[in-house]
Amino acid sequence: MYINKNIPNFDSVATDVLIVGVSKNQNNMANWDQFIEFFGQPIEQWIKDGDIQTTAKAITKIPVYSSKAKVKRLLFVGLGNRKTLTPDTLREAFGLVGKTLQKTRKVSMTLWVDSFETEEIPASDAVIMAAEGIMMGAYTVENYKTTSNVAEVALEEVNFITHQDIEEIAAGFEVGEIYATAVNEARSLINKPGNMLTSSKLAEYAVELAKQYDFEVEILDKAQLEELGMGAILAVNKGSKEEPRMITLKYQGAENWEDVIGFVGKGVTFDTGGYSIKSKAGLVGMKGDMGGAAAVLGAMRIIGELRPNKNVMGVIGSTDNMISGGAFKPDDVITTYSGKTIEILNTDAEGRLVLADAVTYAKQQGANYLIDLATLTGGVITALGYDKTGALTNNQEFFDAFLKASAETGEFVWQLPLTENDKKRIRKSDIADLNNSPGSDGHMIFGGGFVGEFVGDTPWIHLDIAGTSDALSDYDLGPKGGTGVMVRTLATFVERLTQEDLK
Ligand code: BES
Ligand code: ZN
Ligand code: ZN
């Protein structure tokens, strides 16, 4: 999007839509009188009558009829009470602005930045929320309809009306745009049908990303995985005609390759459940079983753009989980890359197997801190619903630092316990070191806890995004489908991390 760094006035700006924040206590806002006077319409009366709504997240669009204005429409964004407005609500309000702009095909917008300022939220932050919200809200899912005549509409230009330092405002908008673009990229990966996004295609995407941002990249193919003895990802892949891939990206932002934060993603491009086959209804949507991988790639994109002085590694284990004469079965015993053996009790508990090898590989490649992300269990949805990511950790301080980032991005994360008794049940097998499905209770804990068996003492956070990675219906910040959850939180976490957190 073209960011105009000249600051126009109400009378000089030529734009499809001028975006204005309105609240109950509007009166003392700078420039308000000039605004009212210039547009000459009975705006204050309309606010009083409720025709322009000030309730939080209410959107009101009106045409401009003044002959001197080069603004075609005013779009009012309700902020409720400015004193209690939270950044999350502001971001969501901008999400609805994005949806409106998308629907009405507005390509040039002007943000009256100062009209969104509150005591708590400075204009320099509000403009980040604006870019994030508008661009995430305006996202649409790619379709393959032959009859589609709806042209893609991109937001082409943004102007700012502000008293603030324009460089700072423009830089804030750019950061928000970088975040939203990465989220939208992750969404598009999740939304891609399984026949179009195979493991090798996902690997090609990662290679492109690496080229764009100068990451070190390594793609291990099936023969190499066999050579290395990655028996867990290979077991999941056994029923498939598609080759698996182990994808590694490395970004070195610090002088030495130390204190490396490793993101590890589940990249199951389609999960049939294998011989422990899913129900007809359960199969639909399983193209999204690579949401963890998408989150890793999205976060790496932001890191590539913003280039923090930290070291970050992304590891993605990718395969589909299919059925054939060669597929793995319940009762099989497999040997992981770590050497640990696993008794397979359920072939639908495949994500933890893929992650077992991916986590071991990330450690072997030098990750000192681990965050794994996966659409791992239906159990997390039973426990927490569709709007919360479930978490486990072996290091409370590390997790608490992560929670701060999640509070900033508004992506809700809730920690569950992982007890010695849980671990005992994961380790219970007569014939192997571990079993991959300890029971019909506590699915999320067993799934994540299983991954923890391969982590050792490395500080680790497990994020089960099975509920949050795919939205069942439209929401303020985006459409039904892939959400790109955790992209923003992972990147924010890396940006905010201090040496203190890494002790
Ligand atoms: N990919 C699924 C989890 C999932 C469910 C993701 C619903 C998104 C929406 C995972 O591989 C799976 O099937 N997990 C099983 C584990 C069980 C067999 C131990 C589950 O949660 O039922
Ligand atoms: Zn499964
Ligand atoms: Zn799965």
Side-chain angles (χ1 to χ4, degrees):
M1 195 182 320
Y2 171 69
I3 296 178
N4 185 4
K5 290 194 187 165
N6 302 313
I7 312 172
N9 304 314
F10 296 125
D11 54 353
S12 68
V13 65
T15 192
D16 286 325
V17 56
L18 173 64
I19 302 168
V20 183
V22 279
S23 61
K24 294 202 173 69
N25 28 4
Q26 192 78 357
N27 342 353
N28 51 8
M29 210 177 82
N31 271 20
W32 182 249
D33 294 341
Q34 288 97 306
F35 169 72
I36 297 288
E37 195 186 329
F38 178 73
F39 285 98
Q41 293 169 228
I43 288 168
E44 287 189 312
Q45 187 61 43
W46 289 343
I47 290 178
K48 215 181 260 164
D49 294 346
D51 292 313
I52 294 171
Q53 290 181 36
T54 59
T55 41
K57 298 204 269 187
I59 306 287
T60 314
K61 198 171 47 140
I62 61 169
V64 172
Y65 66 63
S66 150
S67 57
K68 36 181 186 153
K70 285 173 261 167
V71 176
K72 290 189 195 145
R73 280 181 176 74
L74 298 175
L75 194 151
F76 292 94
V77 184
L79 304 178
N81 184 340
R82 250 172 233 271
K83 291 209 169 73
T84 53
L85 179 72
T86 64
D88 289 349
T89 305
L90 184 59
R91 191 188 292 108
E92 285 169 359
F94 279 119
L96 294 172
V97 171
K99 286 183 178 226
T100 307
L101 297 182
Q102 171 62 36
K103 270 193 220 110
T104 52
R105 309 195 187 182
K106 294 290 165 275
V107 292
S108 150
M109 63 175 173
T110 301
L111 269 176
W112 181 6
V113 180
D114 301 1
S115 73
F116 291 95
E117 214 172 16
T118 74
E119 271 169 41
E120 301 289 318
I121 310 172
S124 53
D125 281 357
V127 76
I128 301 179
M129 306 299 154
E132 274 186 14
I134 290 173
M135 298 198 60
M136 285 169 71
Y139 174 80
T140 53
V141 178
E142 187 183 358
N143 71 57
Y144 309 93
K145 293 175 195 277
T146 51
T147 53
S148 173
N149 57 4
V150 183
E152 276 289 306
V153 183
L155 299 168
E156 280 170 7
E157 184 196 56
V158 58
N159 307 287
F160 305 104
I161 292 182
T162 184
H163 282 121
Q164 317 291 326
D165 175 40
I166 187 65
E167 289 300 330
E168 201 187 338
I169 292 298
F173 192 89
E174 260 163 352
V175 169
E177 190 179 8
I178 286 167
Y179 269 71
T181 303
V183 169
N184 291 344
E185 280 279 325
R187 289 170 167 180
S188 292
L189 282 173
I190 295 167
N191 292 331
K192 268 223 155 43
N195 60 335
M196 298 185 190
L197 188 75
T198 58
S199 299
S200 43
K201 286 271 186 286
L202 190 67
E204 280 169 23
Y205 180 96
V207 169
E208 280 308 308
L209 191 74
K211 266 195 213 144
Q212 198 173 342
Y213 296 109
D214 202 21
F215 299 146
E216 197 182 305
V217 59
E218 178 196 67
I219 309 294
L220 300 176
D221 63 16
K222 187 172 174 181
Q224 291 167 301
L225 298 181
E226 282 168 348
E227 185 94 358
L228 289 165
M230 295 207 188
I233 185 174
L234 285 166
V236 177
N237 180 254
K238 262 180 86 185
S240 180
K241 286 197 168 163
E242 293 291 336
E243 280 211 5
R245 293 284 185 267
M246 186 67 74
I247 302 164
T248 306
L249 296 171
K250 288 178 186 161
Y251 165 79
Q252 182 168 351
E255 207 151 299
N256 302 313
W257 188 241
E258 56 193 18
D259 291 336
V260 181
I261 304 151
F263 298 148
V264 181
K266 169 179 174 182
V268 171
T269 57
F270 193 85
D271 182 11
T272 67
Y275 275 99
S276 312
I277 193 167
K278 288 184 180 296
S279 67
K280 276 194 210 73
L283 283 162
V284 178
M286 280 303 136
K287 66 175 182 181
D289 211 14
M290 31 56 71
V296 171
L297 292 168
M300 292 303 289
R301 178 179 294 277
I302 298 173
I303 287 158
E305 287 280 350
L306 299 180
R307 309 201 85 76
N309 59 352
K310 320 271 164 55
N311 298 324
V312 187
M313 183 195 308
V315 175
I316 290 165
S318 186
T319 175
D320 47 4
N321 184 20
M322 301 296 282
I323 302 175
S324 78
F328 80 136
K329 314 172 288 299
D331 286 351
D332 282 359
V333 172
I334 63 168
T335 304
T336 60
Y337 181 46
S338 74
K340 283 195 167 113
T341 57
I342 301 166
E343 180 182 5
I344 302 299
L345 296 180
N346 191 324
T347 59
D348 198 9
E350 86 297 343
R352 64 199 74 184
L353 303 174
V354 171
L355 287 175
D357 282 350
V359 156
T360 308
Y361 194 63
K363 279 183 55 156
Q364 195 260 329
Q365 292 293 304
N368 305 102
Y369 301 85
L370 287 168
I371 301 180
D372 81 81
L373 302 102
T375 47
L376 205 65
T377 66
V380 74
I381 303 170
T382 309
L384 301 174
Y386 284 100
D387 56 349
K388 297 165 208 82
T389 293
L392 300 178
T393 187
N394 64 358
N395 186 309
Q396 202 58 44
E397 281 176 7
F398 186 53
F399 181 73
D400 289 345
F402 183 80
L403 260 191
K404 279 193 207 144
S406 109
E408 212 178 304
T409 58
E411 298 189 310
F412 198 104
V413 177
W414 193 255
Q415 183 184 1
L416 279 83
L418 174 60
T419 66
E420 288 310 310
N421 195 45
D422 296 323
K423 293 178 194 168
K424 220 180 348 188
R425 289 181 61 188
I426 293 165
R427 292 170 191 159
K428 188 171 179 302
S429 168
D430 293 336
I431 55 173
D433 298 325
L434 306 170
N435 81 81
N436 82 329
S437 184
S440 57
D441 58 331
H443 272 322
M444 192 228 127
I445 293 171
F446 291 137
F450 185 94
V451 179
E453 294 293 315
F454 298 86
V455 159
D457 294 333
T458 306
W460 160 73
I461 298 167
H462 164 70
L463 299 170
D464 193 333
I465 58 173
T468 48
S469 177
D470 240 312
L472 300 177
S473 53
D474 277 23
Y475 60 112
D476 293 348
L477 287 174
K480 174 175 181 261
T483 60
V485 74
M486 291 299 129
V487 167
R488 290 184 298 122
T489 303
L490 288 177
T492 302
F493 178 60
V494 170
E495 272 203 273
R496 301 278 180 271
L497 260 188
T498 62
Q499 252 350 86
E500 202 57 30
D501 296 319
L502 291 176
K503 266 186 197 143

PDB file of all heavy atoms in Angstrom, residues 266 271 278 286 289 346 348-352 375-379 381 436-437 439 443 466, ligand 1:
ATOM      1  N   LYS A 266       3.507 -28.123  13.414  1.00  0.00           N
ATOM      2  CA  LYS A 266       2.894 -29.318  12.822  1.00  0.00           C
ATOM      3  C   LYS A 266       2.397 -28.950  11.433  1.00  0.00           C
ATOM      4  O   LYS A 266       1.544 -28.078  11.286  1.00  0.00           O
ATOM      5  CB  LYS A 266       1.730 -29.813  13.691  1.00  0.00           C
ATOM      6  CG  LYS A 266       0.855 -30.893  13.044  1.00  0.00           C
ATOM      7  CD  LYS A 266      -0.276 -31.359  13.967  1.00  0.00           C
ATOM      8  CE  LYS A 266      -1.225 -32.323  13.255  1.00  0.00           C
ATOM      9  NZ  LYS A 266      -2.364 -32.754  14.108  1.00  0.00           N
ATOM     10  N   ASP A 271      -5.239 -34.641   7.259  1.00  0.00           N
ATOM     11  CA  ASP A 271      -5.278 -35.687   8.281  1.00  0.00           C
ATOM     12  C   ASP A 271      -6.546 -36.515   8.136  1.00  0.00           C
ATOM     13  O   ASP A 271      -7.635 -36.084   8.516  1.00  0.00           O
ATOM     14  CB  ASP A 271      -5.227 -35.029   9.671  1.00  0.00           C
ATOM     15  CG  ASP A 271      -5.222 -36.046  10.804  1.00  0.00           C
ATOM     16  OD1 ASP A 271      -5.039 -37.254  10.521  1.00  0.00           O
ATOM     17  OD2 ASP A 271      -5.389 -35.630  11.967  1.00  0.00           O
ATOM     18  N   LYS A 278     -11.049 -40.956  10.748  1.00  0.00           N
ATOM     19  CA  LYS A 278     -11.982 -39.949  11.260  1.00  0.00           C
ATOM     20  C   LYS A 278     -13.381 -40.204  10.714  1.00  0.00           C
ATOM     21  O   LYS A 278     -13.552 -40.914   9.721  1.00  0.00           O
ATOM     22  CB  LYS A 278     -11.519 -38.542  10.830  1.00  0.00           C
ATOM     23  CG  LYS A 278     -10.282 -38.054  11.552  1.00  0.00           C
ATOM     24  CD  LYS A 278      -9.938 -36.637  11.149  1.00  0.00           C
ATOM     25  CE  LYS A 278      -8.698 -36.141  11.865  1.00  0.00           C
ATOM     26  NZ  LYS A 278      -8.841 -36.045  13.320  1.00  0.00           N
ATOM     27  N   MET A 286      -9.808 -30.856   7.484  1.00  0.00           N
ATOM     28  CA  MET A 286      -8.479 -31.343   7.876  1.00  0.00           C
ATOM     29  C   MET A 286      -7.350 -30.899   6.927  1.00  0.00           C
ATOM     30  O   MET A 286      -6.183 -31.199   7.158  1.00  0.00           O
ATOM     31  CB  MET A 286      -8.484 -32.858   8.049  1.00  0.00           C
ATOM     32  CG  MET A 286      -9.062 -33.265   9.395  1.00  0.00           C
ATOM     33  SD  MET A 286      -8.152 -32.499  10.759  1.00  0.00           S
ATOM     34  CE  MET A 286      -9.486 -31.972  11.805  1.00  0.00           C
ATOM     35  N   ASP A 289      -4.777 -28.838   8.927  1.00  0.00           N
ATOM     36  CA  ASP A 289      -3.998 -29.443  10.010  1.00  0.00           C
ATOM     37  C   ASP A 289      -2.516 -29.027   9.955  1.00  0.00           C
ATOM     38  O   ASP A 289      -1.675 -29.601  10.648  1.00  0.00           O
ATOM     39  CB  ASP A 289      -4.143 -30.974   9.948  1.00  0.00           C
ATOM     40  CG  ASP A 289      -4.067 -31.631  11.321  1.00  0.00           C
ATOM     41  OD1 ASP A 289      -4.166 -30.908  12.330  1.00  0.00           O
ATOM     42  OD2 ASP A 289      -3.884 -32.861  11.377  1.00  0.00           O
ATOM     43  N   ASN A 346      -3.175 -45.230  18.283  1.00  0.00           N
ATOM     44  CA  ASN A 346      -4.166 -44.508  17.492  1.00  0.00           C
ATOM     45  C   ASN A 346      -3.427 -43.748  16.388  1.00  0.00           C
ATOM     46  O   ASN A 346      -2.598 -42.878  16.675  1.00  0.00           O
ATOM     47  CB  ASN A 346      -4.923 -43.536  18.416  1.00  0.00           C
ATOM     48  CG  ASN A 346      -6.135 -42.940  17.738  1.00  0.00           C
ATOM     49  OD1 ASN A 346      -6.122 -42.659  16.544  1.00  0.00           O
ATOM     50  ND2 ASN A 346      -7.198 -42.743  18.505  1.00  0.00           N
ATOM     51  N   ASP A 348      -4.603 -41.638  14.489  1.00  0.00           N
ATOM     52  CA  ASP A 348      -5.091 -40.256  14.372  1.00  0.00           C
ATOM     53  C   ASP A 348      -4.335 -39.325  15.329  1.00  0.00           C
ATOM     54  O   ASP A 348      -4.464 -38.112  15.244  1.00  0.00           O
ATOM     55  CB  ASP A 348      -6.599 -40.216  14.653  1.00  0.00           C
ATOM     56  CG  ASP A 348      -7.258 -38.947  14.131  1.00  0.00           C
ATOM     57  OD1 ASP A 348      -6.579 -38.192  13.405  1.00  0.00           O
ATOM     58  OD2 ASP A 348      -8.438 -38.715  14.457  1.00  0.00           O
ATOM     59  N   ALA A 349      -3.578 -39.900  16.240  1.00  0.00           N
ATOM     60  CA  ALA A 349      -2.726 -39.069  17.104  1.00  0.00           C
ATOM     61  C   ALA A 349      -1.362 -38.965  16.428  1.00  0.00           C
ATOM     62  O   ALA A 349      -0.332 -39.390  16.959  1.00  0.00           O
ATOM     63  CB  ALA A 349      -2.616 -39.681  18.497  1.00  0.00           C
ATOM     64  N   GLU A 350      -1.389 -38.392  15.190  1.00  0.00           N
ATOM     65  CA  GLU A 350      -0.193 -38.370  14.340  1.00  0.00           C
ATOM     66  C   GLU A 350       0.637 -37.104  14.525  1.00  0.00           C
ATOM     67  O   GLU A 350       1.846 -37.119  14.302  1.00  0.00           O
ATOM     68  CB  GLU A 350      -0.602 -38.520  12.867  1.00  0.00           C
ATOM     69  CG  GLU A 350      -0.979 -37.217  12.131  1.00  0.00           C
ATOM     70  CD  GLU A 350      -2.193 -36.517  12.718  1.00  0.00           C
ATOM     71  OE1 GLU A 350      -2.951 -37.149  13.462  1.00  0.00           O
ATOM     72  OE2 GLU A 350      -2.382 -35.314  12.436  1.00  0.00           O
ATOM     73  N   GLY A 351      -0.033 -36.032  14.957  1.00  0.00           N
ATOM     74  CA  GLY A 351       0.679 -34.754  15.062  1.00  0.00           C
ATOM     75  C   GLY A 351       1.819 -34.838  16.059  1.00  0.00           C
ATOM     76  O   GLY A 351       2.927 -34.337  15.816  1.00  0.00           O
ATOM     77  N   ARG A 352       1.572 -35.471  17.172  1.00  0.00           N
ATOM     78  CA  ARG A 352       2.605 -35.586  18.214  1.00  0.00           C
ATOM     79  C   ARG A 352       3.793 -36.395  17.717  1.00  0.00           C
ATOM     80  O   ARG A 352       4.917 -36.207  18.180  1.00  0.00           O
ATOM     81  CB  ARG A 352       1.984 -36.182  19.488  1.00  0.00           C
ATOM     82  CG  ARG A 352       1.464 -37.577  19.360  1.00  0.00           C
ATOM     83  CD  ARG A 352       0.475 -37.947  20.468  1.00  0.00           C
ATOM     84  NE  ARG A 352      -0.827 -37.306  20.287  1.00  0.00           N
ATOM     85  CZ  ARG A 352      -1.843 -37.396  21.135  1.00  0.00           C
ATOM     86  NH1 ARG A 352      -1.724 -38.107  22.238  1.00  0.00           N
ATOM     87  NH2 ARG A 352      -2.979 -36.791  20.897  1.00  0.00           N
ATOM     88  N   THR A 375      -2.231 -27.889  15.520  1.00  0.00           N
ATOM     89  CA  THR A 375      -3.650 -28.230  15.616  1.00  0.00           C
ATOM     90  C   THR A 375      -3.670 -29.669  16.113  1.00  0.00           C
ATOM     91  O   THR A 375      -3.872 -30.596  15.363  1.00  0.00           O
ATOM     92  CB  THR A 375      -4.304 -28.124  14.227  1.00  0.00           C
ATOM     93  OG1 THR A 375      -3.441 -28.802  13.282  1.00  0.00           O
ATOM     94  CG2 THR A 375      -4.462 -26.681  13.786  1.00  0.00           C
ATOM     95  N   LEU A 376      -3.417 -29.831  17.412  1.00  0.00           N
ATOM     96  CA  LEU A 376      -3.060 -31.164  17.905  1.00  0.00           C
ATOM     97  C   LEU A 376      -4.243 -32.009  18.360  1.00  0.00           C
ATOM     98  O   LEU A 376      -4.275 -33.202  18.101  1.00  0.00           O
ATOM     99  CB  LEU A 376      -2.017 -31.054  19.032  1.00  0.00           C
ATOM    100  CG  LEU A 376      -1.157 -32.312  19.187  1.00  0.00           C
ATOM    101  CD1 LEU A 376      -0.291 -32.554  17.956  1.00  0.00           C
ATOM    102  CD2 LEU A 376      -0.281 -32.244  20.423  1.00  0.00           C
ATOM    103  N   THR A 377      -5.191 -31.393  19.073  1.00  0.00           N
ATOM    104  CA  THR A 377      -6.267 -32.237  19.626  1.00  0.00           C
ATOM    105  C   THR A 377      -7.637 -31.560  19.578  1.00  0.00           C
ATOM    106  O   THR A 377      -7.766 -30.350  19.789  1.00  0.00           O
ATOM    107  CB  THR A 377      -6.001 -32.587  21.110  1.00  0.00           C
ATOM    108  OG1 THR A 377      -6.065 -31.404  21.909  1.00  0.00           O
ATOM    109  CG2 THR A 377      -4.661 -33.259  21.294  1.00  0.00           C
ATOM    110  N   GLY A 378      -8.653 -32.388  19.347  1.00  0.00           N
ATOM    111  CA  GLY A 378     -10.024 -31.905  19.522  1.00  0.00           C
ATOM    112  C   GLY A 378     -10.277 -31.601  20.993  1.00  0.00           C
ATOM    113  O   GLY A 378     -11.154 -30.813  21.331  1.00  0.00           O
ATOM    114  N   GLY A 379      -9.469 -32.213  21.849  1.00  0.00           N
ATOM    115  CA  GLY A 379      -9.654 -32.043  23.288  1.00  0.00           C
ATOM    116  C   GLY A 379      -9.494 -30.597  23.741  1.00  0.00           C
ATOM    117  O   GLY A 379     -10.149 -30.171  24.698  1.00  0.00           O
ATOM    118  N   ILE A 381     -10.504 -28.055  22.224  1.00  0.00           N
ATOM    119  CA  ILE A 381     -11.779 -27.378  21.928  1.00  0.00           C
ATOM    120  C   ILE A 381     -12.801 -27.730  23.013  1.00  0.00           C
ATOM    121  O   ILE A 381     -13.533 -26.867  23.500  1.00  0.00           O
ATOM    122  CB  ILE A 381     -12.300 -27.779  20.528  1.00  0.00           C
ATOM    123  CG1 ILE A 381     -11.243 -27.466  19.466  1.00  0.00           C
ATOM    124  CG2 ILE A 381     -13.630 -27.092  20.227  1.00  0.00           C
ATOM    125  CD1 ILE A 381     -11.538 -28.035  18.086  1.00  0.00           C
ATOM    126  N   ASN A 436       1.155 -43.487  22.133  1.00  0.00           N
ATOM    127  CA  ASN A 436       0.741 -42.197  21.546  1.00  0.00           C
ATOM    128  C   ASN A 436      -0.708 -41.834  21.837  1.00  0.00           C
ATOM    129  O   ASN A 436      -1.200 -40.835  21.327  1.00  0.00           O
ATOM    130  CB  ASN A 436       1.031 -42.154  20.035  1.00  0.00           C
ATOM    131  CG  ASN A 436      -0.031 -42.833  19.207  1.00  0.00           C
ATOM    132  OD1 ASN A 436      -0.658 -43.798  19.660  1.00  0.00           O
ATOM    133  ND2 ASN A 436      -0.238 -42.357  17.989  1.00  0.00           N
ATOM    134  N   SER A 437      -1.385 -42.627  22.688  1.00  0.00           N
ATOM    135  CA  SER A 437      -2.779 -42.273  23.011  1.00  0.00           C
ATOM    136  C   SER A 437      -3.189 -42.891  24.349  1.00  0.00           C
ATOM    137  O   SER A 437      -3.783 -43.964  24.396  1.00  0.00           O
ATOM    138  CB  SER A 437      -3.700 -42.748  21.877  1.00  0.00           C
ATOM    139  OG  SER A 437      -5.015 -42.341  22.138  1.00  0.00           O
ATOM    140  N   GLY A 439      -5.463 -42.393  26.567  1.00  0.00           N
ATOM    141  CA  GLY A 439      -6.829 -42.586  27.044  1.00  0.00           C
ATOM    142  C   GLY A 439      -7.788 -41.622  26.415  1.00  0.00           C
ATOM    143  O   GLY A 439      -7.387 -40.795  25.582  1.00  0.00           O
ATOM    144  N   HIS A 443      -7.204 -35.200  26.540  1.00  0.00           N
ATOM    145  CA  HIS A 443      -6.503 -35.282  25.246  1.00  0.00           C
ATOM    146  C   HIS A 443      -5.427 -34.219  25.065  1.00  0.00           C
ATOM    147  O   HIS A 443      -4.336 -34.489  24.594  1.00  0.00           O
ATOM    148  CB  HIS A 443      -7.499 -35.162  24.099  1.00  0.00           C
ATOM    149  CG  HIS A 443      -8.086 -36.470  23.696  1.00  0.00           C
ATOM    150  ND1 HIS A 443      -7.362 -37.641  23.668  1.00  0.00           N
ATOM    151  CD2 HIS A 443      -9.335 -36.798  23.305  1.00  0.00           C
ATOM    152  CE1 HIS A 443      -8.141 -38.635  23.268  1.00  0.00           C
ATOM    153  NE2 HIS A 443      -9.353 -38.155  23.053  1.00  0.00           N
ATOM    154  N   ALA A 466      -5.774 -26.131  17.862  1.00  0.00           N
ATOM    155  CA  ALA A 466      -6.826 -26.840  17.103  1.00  0.00           C
ATOM    156  C   ALA A 466      -8.135 -26.039  17.089  1.00  0.00           C
ATOM    157  O   ALA A 466      -8.875 -26.076  16.106  1.00  0.00           O
ATOM    158  CB  ALA A 466      -7.057 -28.230  17.680  1.00  0.00           C
TER     159      ALA A 466
HETATM  160  N1  BES B   1      -5.689 -32.952  13.665  1.00  0.00           N
HETATM  161  C1  BES B   1      -6.362 -33.556  14.747  1.00  0.00           C
HETATM  162  C2  BES B   1      -6.860 -32.570  15.799  1.00  0.00           C
HETATM  163  C3  BES B   1      -7.917 -31.596  15.354  1.00  0.00           C
HETATM  164  C4  BES B   1      -9.249 -31.836  15.629  1.00  0.00           C
HETATM  165  C5  BES B   1      -7.581 -30.422  14.723  1.00  0.00           C
HETATM  166  C6  BES B   1     -10.211 -30.942  15.238  1.00  0.00           C
HETATM  167  C7  BES B   1      -8.549 -29.503  14.336  1.00  0.00           C
HETATM  168  C8  BES B   1      -9.855 -29.757  14.600  1.00  0.00           C
HETATM  169  C9  BES B   1      -5.424 -34.534  15.474  1.00  0.00           C
HETATM  170  O1  BES B   1      -4.460 -35.137  14.686  1.00  0.00           O
HETATM  171  C10 BES B   1      -6.282 -35.608  16.054  1.00  0.00           C
HETATM  172  O2  BES B   1      -6.947 -36.268  15.330  1.00  0.00           O
HETATM  173  N2  BES B   1      -6.248 -35.731  17.385  1.00  0.00           N
HETATM  174  C11 BES B   1      -7.016 -36.709  18.068  1.00  0.00           C
HETATM  175  C12 BES B   1      -6.139 -37.323  19.109  1.00  0.00           C
HETATM  176  C13 BES B   1      -6.690 -38.562  19.724  1.00  0.00           C
HETATM  177  C14 BES B   1      -6.863 -39.644  18.694  1.00  0.00           C
HETATM  178  C15 BES B   1      -5.765 -39.066  20.803  1.00  0.00           C
HETATM  179  C16 BES B   1      -8.198 -36.029  18.727  1.00  0.00           C
HETATM  180  O3  BES B   1      -8.066 -34.920  19.238  1.00  0.00           O
HETATM  181  O4  BES B   1      -9.286 -36.609  18.695  1.00  0.00           O
END
